[in-house]
């Protein structure tokens, strides 16, 4: 039996790309309306906290456990500080937040993996990480649109790590 777990990040990114392209079609809107009406939901929005959080999980948490163990430094050369600062409002973070992308992504991944985030009705996310709930050394904020743009920027790199033998071996 072949273990397909290593394909989850790549497939999640491809699924998101397909869904985003189909999202504006009449068929997608009709299906979303039909399903949401069946659950008694008016004006269902597909771009919702569950969609964003599941994509964050598949692209940040899953790769860590499958093939990024000990290879966080990969991100330092792949994600420039401008990418981070253009997508996130940094509320509290250590000194390395804009010097080392790997530090930022590790803290963001921890916040997602341990469900240490909040999201409001405007789809504004706040992510926190630290040694405990009382000791938070990382807090950033981003809208769902900014998160999706960030995932588009770095998601393809995450999703395609499997195809780089030097990184996954």
């Amino acid at each position: 039996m072949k273990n397909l777990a290593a394909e989850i990040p790549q497939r999640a990114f491809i699924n998101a790309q397909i869904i985003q392209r189909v999202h504006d079609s009449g068929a997608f809107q009709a299906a979303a309306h039909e399903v949401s009406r069946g659950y008694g939901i008016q004006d269902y929005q597909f771009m919702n906290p569950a969609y964003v959080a599941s994509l964050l999980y598949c692209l940040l948490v899953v790769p860590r456990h499958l093939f990024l163990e000990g290879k966080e430094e990969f991100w330092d050369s792949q994600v420039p500080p401008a990418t981070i600062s253009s997508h996130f409002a940094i509320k509290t973070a250590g000194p390395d937040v804009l010097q080392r992308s790997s530090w930022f992504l590790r803290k963001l991944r921890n916040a997602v993996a341990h469900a240490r985030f909040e999201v409001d009705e405007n789809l504004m996310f706040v992510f926190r990480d630290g040694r405990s709930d009382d000791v938070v050394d990382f807090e950033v904020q981003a809208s769902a649109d900014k998160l999706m743009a960030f995932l588009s920027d770095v998601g393809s790199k995450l999703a395609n790590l499997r195809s780089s033998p030097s990184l996954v071996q």
Side-chain angles (χ1 to χ4, degrees), residues 52-69:
V52 177
S54 64
L55 191 55
L56 281 166
Y57 187 86
C58 287
L59 292 178
L60 294 178
V61 178
V62 173
R64 163 77 167 132
H65 297 291
L66 293 176
F67 46 80
L68 274 183
E69 191 72 41

Side-chain angles (χ1 to χ4, degrees), residues 129-160:
D129 190 40
R131 291 180 299 182
S132 68
D133 289 336
D134 297 330
V135 182
V136 173
D137 65 355
F138 176 83
E139 184 174 330
V140 297
Q141 178 179 320
S143 67
D145 290 340
K146 292 279 189 175
L147 285 170
M148 294 306 289
F150 173 75
L151 289 174
S152 289
D153 285 350
V154 300
S156 61
K157 292 174 179 68
L158 278 164
N160 292 313

Side-chain angles (χ1 to χ4, degrees), residues 8 21 32 40 44 49 56 61 81 91 93 114 116 119 126 139 142 146 153 167:
I8 290 173
R21 288 189 183 163
Y44 180 81
L56 281 166
V61 178
K91 297 175 108 182
H114 299 290
R116 296 188 71 190
V119 59
V126 176
E139 184 174 330
K146 292 279 189 175
D153 285 350
L167 292 172

